[in-house]
Amino acid sequence: MNRCIRHAAVFCLLLLAALLANSARVQVLRAGSYDGNPANRRVTVAR
Amino acid sequence: MSAPSATAPTAPPAPAPRLPTRRGVELSLIVAAVLVSMYGYAEVGFARHGVLPPGAAGYGCGLAGLALLAHVAVRARAPYADPLLLPIAVLLNGIGLVLIYRLDLEPVLGPRAAPAQLVWSSIGVGLFIAVVLMLPDHRVLARYAYLSVTAALLLLAAPIFFPAINGAKIWIRFAGFSIQPGEFAKVLLAVFFAAYLSANRAALAYTGRRIVRGRRLSGLSWLRRLQLPTGRVLGPVLAIWLVSVGVLVLERDLGTSLLFFCLFVVMLYVATGRTGWIAVGLLLASVGAFAASSLEPHVRGRVSDWLHPFASIDAGIGPGQLAQSLFAFAAGGAFGTGLGQGHSYLIGFAAKSDFILATAGEELGLVGLCAVFALYALLVARGFRAGLALRDPFGRLLAVGLASLLALQVFVIAGGVMDLIPLTGMAMPFLAQGGSSVVTNWIIVALLIRISDRARRPEPTPAAEEAAEEADKVGGPAA
C-alpha cells in the first residue's frame, strides 16, 4: 500500500505544479496582454 | 534495618527515550500565524484609511483565543500529533478572514461577511476541539461506515427540495442560516470509502479477469497484467459513479460531483494497488464529462467560458466573471498591489467566496499566491505522511482520503478561477466565505490531528519490543 500512497502523493504534487505553472502564466507571462485589454476597467478606475 | 538497600539502592529501570512531542514548536508556530494574520488586518486598515482598523484588537484576540484553545485540546489529548497541522489551519483561516474583511470595505459586494465568518470559524474550532477530545481513536469511525454513508446521501439529497440559488441546488435554508450540506458529506464519504475499501481490499485486489490472455505476447507483459475487475466488485464503483452523476444532474453542482469521483478513484487505487481501476475511473469520468457537457447547458457554458474567457468582450457585452478574475490576477503581477489596494471587487458576485483567490492573487501577487499554495501543499503532505506512518489500513486510507480531498478541492477551484480547468463552484478550503466549508475543513484537520497522533505515538511498551528484537538478533545467526 505504501507504494500506492506515494503515487497518490506524487499525483497531488503534479496538481500543485500545474497550479504554480498556471499562476506564473497568468500573473507574469500573459499579464501584459490582460492589463492592456480595453475591457479591463482598472486603468480608468485608477484615474 | 536493611543495610544493602541503603548502600546500593536498586537502580531504577532506564527510562525509555522520550519521543519529542513537539508541542512547543506548535505553540510558537501558532503565535507566528496569529501575528501574520493581525499584521495583514492592520495593513488593510493603514492602506485604506491610514489608521489602525478599529476592530483589530478584537479580531486578533478572537483568532488567538481560538488557536490557543485548540492548542490546549491537542496538548491534552493528542500530544504526539503533527505540529504543523494546527498552525497551518490557523494561518489559512486568518488569511481568509483578512481577505474577507478587506472585501467588506467594498460596498458594491453587499453586506459585511467577516464577522459571520469569525463566528463560523469559532464553531469550526469548537468542533475541532470536540473531535480531538471525544474521539479516542480514529479506528472507532470504521464502525460507523454505513451510518456515515446514509447520512452523506441524505445530506446530498436534501438540497433537491429547496429552491436553487444562483443556478445550483446546493443550499438548505432555515432560520436565516444557509447551509451547504454537501460540504459535510465530503468527510462522511471519506470515512465510508476508507472503511469499505479497507474491509474489502482483498476482494477488490485479487479477483479479476485478464483482458489479454496467452503467452505469445511476451513483449507486452504489462498488457497481460492489466486486469478488469469482476462485475460483483464493480457494482459499488458504478453506484458511486451514478451518485456523482445524480448530484451533477439534479443539483447542477459539477465541482462536488467531480470531487467525489476523483476521491473515490484515488482511494480505490491506494487500497487495491491496481492500475486497472484508474483506467475504469478515467473511462467512467470521461463518459460522464462528455454526457454532461453535451446535455447540460449549464456545464456547456462553463466549458466554453474556459476555452474562450474573453468571448463576451468580443461580443461587446463586457468582461465576464472569469475574465475579471484573470484581469485581477494579472494586475497583481509578481509582487502584488498590496493589501487593500487592488480592484478585485470588479469581479462582483461571489468575489468573497468562489473567487477569493483572485483577491489574494491581485493584492499579494504571485509570491503570496505561491506561499498560500505552499501552505496547502504542506497540509496535504503532512496528511500523506501520517498515512504512511500508520499501520491499520483504515487509518491509512482515511489519511490519504482526507489529504487528497483537500488537494483536489484546492486544485478544482484554484484551477477554475485561473482558467486552467472549467470553473466549478467550490470553496477554497479555509479562505473562502462560507460557514459549512470552514466548519468541515476544521473537522478534517481534527481528524488528521487524531490520525497523526496515533501514527507518531510510541508503541505501548517500546522497551519490551526492543528487548525482543535484541533477543532475536542474539539468538538468530547472521545469515
Side-chain angles (χ1 to χ4, degrees):
Chain A
M1 202 192 255
N2 268 358
R3 224 174 109 252
C4 299
I5 294 181
R6 282 179 212 282
H7 288 170
V10 168
F11 171 67
C12 291
L13 192 69
L14 286 179
L15 294 185
L16 173 75
L19 281 183
L20 290 177
N22 188 51
S23 351
R25 178 185 71 100
V26 172
Q27 295 199 273
V28 179
L29 295 181
R30 310 269 310 261
S33 75
Y34 289 159
D35 285 338
N37 194 309
N40 193 343
R41 282 174 49 213
R42 275 180 176 68
V43 184
T44 45
V45 166
R47 265 178 209 151
Chain B
M1 286 293 279
S2 55
S5 71
T7 51
T10 50
R18 223 172 134 253
L19 253 81
T21 57
R22 307 270 186 233
R23 293 277 71 81
V25 175
E26 184 182 83
L27 183 59
S28 43
L29 286 174
I30 285 176
V31 170
V34 171
L35 287 179
V36 168
S37 314
M38 285 171 79
Y39 171 73
Y41 195 75
E43 202 190 321
V44 172
F46 280 120
R48 299 296 295 235
H49 310 298
V51 288
L52 197 65
Y59 164 84
C61 292
L63 191 67
L66 289 178
L68 288 180
L69 280 177
H71 172 73
V72 168
V74 170
R75 204 172 259 266
R77 296 303 291 272
Y80 289 96
D82 195 311
L84 281 183
L85 295 171
L86 185 56
I88 293 175
V90 170
L91 183 53
L92 285 172
N93 202 340
I95 295 175
L97 285 166
V98 168
L99 292 176
I100 294 169
Y101 167 74
R102 181 259 168 276
L103 288 172
D104 279 350
L105 299 177
E106 308 290 351
V108 289
L109 293 179
R112 293 174 67 199
Q117 186 73 0
L118 187 59
V119 170
W120 280 112
S121 306
S122 319
I123 296 174
V125 173
L127 284 172
F128 170 94
I129 293 172
V131 169
V132 170
L133 288 185
M134 296 201 287
L135 187 69
D137 191 321
H138 62 267
R139 282 170 290 187
V140 172
L141 293 175
R143 286 184 219 151
Y144 301 107
Y146 286 93
L147 187 66
S148 54
V149 75
T150 315
L153 291 179
L154 286 178
L155 284 173
L156 275 179
I160 295 174
F161 308 106
F162 286 79
I165 300 176
N166 309 325
K169 283 190 167 193
I170 51 175
W171 299 89
I172 288 184
R173 265 177 193 276
F174 66 90
F177 282 105
S178 44
I179 293 175
Q180 252 178 306
E183 293 282 339
F184 302 109
K186 288 172 193 167
V187 183
L188 292 170
L189 276 181
V191 169
F192 167 70
F193 290 161
Y196 172 79
L197 291 173
S198 60
N200 297 298
R201 266 175 77 203
L204 288 163
Y206 299 113
T207 53
R209 198 180 300 129
R210 297 235 156 106
I211 300 175
V212 181
R213 287 160 192 272
R215 289 180 207 150
R216 275 183 222 163
L217 299 162
S218 56
L220 298 169
S221 61
W222 61 271
L223 204 61
R224 270 191 292 146
R225 268 188 278 132
L226 196 69
Q227 290 187 359
L228 265 192
T230 58
R232 193 168 56 89
V233 244
L234 205 60
V237 185
L238 284 172
I240 296 294
W241 181 72
L242 280 178
V243 167
S244 41
V245 172
V247 168
L248 175 64
V249 173
L250 292 176
E251 306 184 358
R252 302 215 202 138
D253 190 2
L254 182 63
T256 308
S257 130
L258 193 70
L259 187 74
F260 286 156
F261 196 69
C262 287
L263 176 70
F264 185 65
V265 171
V266 167
M267 289 179 77
L268 193 59
Y269 170 68
V270 170
T272 61
R274 303 302 285 271
T275 38
W277 284 115
I278 298 183
V280 172
L282 285 180
L283 191 73
L284 286 177
S286 46
V287 168
F290 178 75
S293 61
S294 49
L295 296 179
E296 275 278 313
H298 173 73
V299 177
R300 208 187 315 158
R302 293 296 174 86
V303 172
S304 67
D305 276 353
W306 166 57
L307 294 173
H308 313 287
F310 297 136
S312 62
I313 298 175
D314 298 338
I317 44 174
Q321 257 188 319
L322 188 57
Q324 288 287 14
S325 165
L326 287 175
F327 289 158
F329 279 109
F335 298 103
T337 59
L339 276 172
Q341 298 171 53
H343 301 284
S344 54
Y345 63 87
L346 290 171
I347 294 169
F349 164 72
K352 294 178 193 173
S353 50
D354 289 355
F355 285 93
I356 189 96
L357 203 66
T359 303
E362 176 164 14
E363 309 205 335
L364 304 175
L366 180 61
V367 181
L369 203 60
C370 287
V372 170
F373 285 147
L375 287 177
Y376 285 118
L378 265 178
L379 200 59
V380 171
R382 300 314 278 203
F384 275 113
R385 173 146 296 230
L388 280 171
L390 267 184
R391 295 196 182 164
D392 67 297
F394 170 72
R396 314 181 70 158
L397 280 172
L398 186 59
V400 168
L402 295 175
S404 319
L405 193 62
L406 280 171
L408 289 169
Q409 223 168 315
V410 170
F411 179 76
V412 166
I413 183 62
V417 297
M418 300 186 81
D419 202 29
L420 181 62
I421 56 172
L423 176 65
T424 57
M426 190 175 287
M428 198 76 194
F430 289 112
L431 287 191
Q433 174 200 8
S436 319
S437 162
V438 167
V439 169
T440 308
N441 286 305
W442 273 111
I443 294 175
I444 289 178
V445 172
L447 290 176
L448 285 177
I449 288 260
R450 186 35 78 214
I451 290 170
S452 70
D453 173 56
R454 171 61 60 184
R456 291 183 69 236
R457 182 180 296 192
E459 290 301 305
T461 53
E465 278 193 2
E466 272 170 33
E469 277 178 24
E470 286 299 318
D472 278 354
K473 273 184 203 158
V474 172

